[in-house]
């Protein structure tokens, strides 16, 4: 029998004192205000128990982790048609590179790089009556938590500095892979990325993907087929050009964000979330990656 709390305490103690905690993202000015010394771990077991250490209850900007939640909503509207507009292959490139988008005629490699997530945002803008409000309500619904909200300062900061995302959206529009107005789609996208959640709230949100499409409130949102595909994309594309390394070292489907969060899960077993704002050179949380590698090594719990 594994003592999960003891394992998490060991990992937390080991990494909390490490000197190299990475570099906090600075290209979105509001994110730079976070301290690299913040560190939290939260494990939610399907059996109902939870285990945690450090800053597990401090809200942070989930950034690209939101792309998985947006995909889970978009897939309910378009299902198989969605894959005509965005591919499912790893990009091998950083999250914001545009070169492949032009080479491949405006079809993003996958929905978890920025260009792909902007296509997903476009689908949600098309189908949702009040896109920002409705998407936020969806996140609140699957977590059972009405306190979750946008950080409007982060959204505004992203809009002011999001030149690469404007370039991606305009390129998508040029290839007829954006149905709505560029400004409207990006306004939604910047707000989506600026949702603030704690490690616990994120674990509750991603319960959906480990529990066969059923959220923490026992409401079915996704088919098993849809969950399988989303988890597969997280495994192969959830960490940009470090996805192979994460699969190799950790062995779980997961998703990172430049706010320092990482979510990973073992289907039918658990969701684990780490938050440490210092990033490595690939844009993933430096000690978050190390924590998850230690966790699957110590517990021998991975998909492999």
């Amino acid at each position: 029998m594994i003592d999960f709390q003891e394992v998490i305490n060991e990992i937390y103690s080991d990494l909390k004192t490490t000197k190299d905690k990475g570099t906090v993202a600075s290209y979105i000015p509001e994110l730079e205000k976070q301290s690299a010394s913040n560190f939290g771990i939260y494990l939610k077991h399907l059996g109902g128990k939870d285990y945690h250490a450090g800053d597990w209850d401090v809200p942070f900007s989930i950034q690209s982790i939101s792309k998985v939640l947006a995909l889970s909503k978009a897939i309910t509207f378009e299902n198989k048609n969605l894959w005509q507009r965005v591919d499912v292959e790893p990009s091998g490139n950083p999250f914001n590179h545009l070169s492949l988008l032009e080479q491949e005629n405006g079809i993003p490699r996958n929905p978890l790089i920025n260009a792909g997530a902007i296509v997903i945002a476009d689908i949600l803008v098309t189908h949702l009556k009040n896109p920002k409000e409705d998407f936020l309500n969806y996140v609140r619904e699957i977590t059972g938590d009405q306190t979750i909200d946008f950080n409007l300062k982060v959204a505004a900061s992203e809009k002011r500095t999001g030149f690469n995302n404007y370039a991606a959206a305009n390129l998508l529009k040029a290839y007829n892979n954006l149905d709505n107005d560029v400004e409207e789609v990006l306004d939604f996208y910047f707000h989506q990325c600026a949702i603030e959640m704690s490690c616990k709230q994120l674990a509750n949100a991603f319960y959906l993907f480990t529990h066969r499409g059923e959220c923490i409130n026992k409401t079915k949102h996704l088919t098993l087929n849809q969950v399988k595909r989303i988890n597969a994309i997280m495994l192969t594309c959830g960490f940009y050009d470090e996805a192979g390394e994460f699969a190799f070292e950790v062995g779980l489907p997961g998703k990172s964000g430049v706010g320092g969060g990482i979510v990973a899960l073992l289907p039918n077993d658990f969701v684990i979330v780490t938050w440490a704002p210092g990033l490595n050179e690939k844009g993933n949380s430096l000690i978050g990656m190390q924590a998850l590698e230690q966790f699957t090594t110590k517990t021998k719990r991975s998909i492999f």
Side-chain angles (χ1 to χ4, degrees):
M1 189 77 174
I2 300 168
D3 186 336
F4 286 109
Q5 189 61 56
E6 186 180 335
V7 170
I8 283 173
N9 288 344
E10 281 176 13
I11 295 168
Y12 179 79
S13 297
D14 177 47
L15 294 173
K16 181 68 177 172
T17 55
T18 190
K19 286 184 179 174
D20 184 8
K21 292 185 169 68
T23 306
V24 177
S26 59
Y27 69 93
I28 300 170
E30 278 294 318
L31 294 186
E32 199 173 11
K33 295 178 180 179
Q34 292 288 0
S35 168
S37 65
N38 285 323
F39 181 35
I41 308 174
Y42 188 94
L43 173 71
K44 183 166 195 65
H45 205 271
L46 226 60
K49 289 191 176 180
D50 60 309
Y51 312 87
H52 44 75
D55 302 314
W56 58 273
D57 59 346
V58 178
F60 60 91
S61 183
I62 69 169
Q63 291 295 312
S64 286
I65 296 171
S66 69
K67 294 171 181 175
V68 180
L69 303 177
L71 175 61
S72 73
K73 188 64 180 171
I75 206 170
T76 64
F77 292 122
E78 304 226 344
N79 203 14
K80 292 179 181 177
N81 292 333
L82 185 148
W83 308 117
Q84 294 172 13
R85 296 183 58 187
V86 60
D87 209 342
V88 295
E89 294 296 333
S91 71
N93 279 342
F95 58 89
N96 57 359
H97 271 214
L98 299 178
S99 53
L100 282 172
L101 189 59
E102 191 164 19
Q103 288 173 28
E104 296 172 359
N105 301 314
I107 304 294
R109 271 289 175 100
N110 65 70
L112 301 184
I113 55 172
N114 287 14
I118 290 168
V119 171
I120 299 301
D122 183 56
I123 290 169
L124 293 177
V125 168
T126 294
H127 288 279
L128 297 175
K129 189 175 179 182
N130 301 297
K132 287 184 285 190
E133 185 183 328
D134 292 350
F135 181 69
L136 182 60
N137 285 336
Y138 168 66
V139 175
R140 288 171 170 175
E141 183 185 350
I142 63 173
T143 55
D145 192 334
Q146 293 298 309
T147 67
I148 294 167
D149 213 338
F150 301 118
N151 183 320
L152 298 180
K153 286 185 178 178
V154 172
S157 187
E158 294 201 49
K159 185 173 184 177
R160 281 195 307 273
T161 57
F163 305 114
N164 198 282
N165 287 319
Y166 275 97
N170 279 291
L171 198 53
L172 289 164
K173 191 76 170 173
Y175 280 104
N176 297 312
N177 200 8
L178 210 68
D179 294 333
N180 297 283
D181 178 70
V182 166
E183 285 287 347
E184 186 182 7
V185 173
L186 286 178
D187 180 60
F188 172 82
Y189 177 68
F190 293 141
H191 279 79
Q192 167 201 309
C193 290
I195 288 176
E196 276 195 333
M197 296 168 77
S198 66
C199 293
K200 177 180 180 178
Q201 289 168 327
L202 268 172
N204 288 341
F206 276 68
Y207 183 93
L208 183 72
F209 307 110
T210 193
H211 197 230
R212 306 170 79 85
E214 186 177 287
C215 77
I216 200 166
N217 298 320
K218 297 184 167 51
T219 302
K220 188 85 168 171
H221 289 270
L222 299 167
T223 67
L224 189 55
N225 189 285
Q226 290 166 337
V227 171
K228 172 184 135 182
R229 277 154 176 71
I230 292 170
N231 285 344
I233 290 168
M234 277 198 275
L235 180 69
T236 57
C237 309
F239 297 83
Y240 317 119
D241 47 336
E242 203 172 14
E245 181 74 11
F246 190 80
F248 183 75
E249 296 287 354
V250 179
L252 296 172
K255 185 73 195 82
S256 63
V258 295
I262 300 179
V263 184
L265 61 93
L266 183 62
N268 303 311
D269 200 335
F270 64 79
V271 184
I272 185 167
V273 183
T274 61
W275 175 50
L279 310 179
N280 64 19
E281 70 226 9
K282 303 283 191 180
N284 297 312
S285 173
L286 181 66
I287 63 173
M289 296 276 277
Q290 293 170 5
L292 292 169
E293 186 278 323
Q294 284 194 31
F295 180 80
T296 54
T297 299
K298 288 174 186 289
T299 62
K300 298 179 172 58
R301 297 284 184 96
S302 81
I303 63 170
F304 300 114

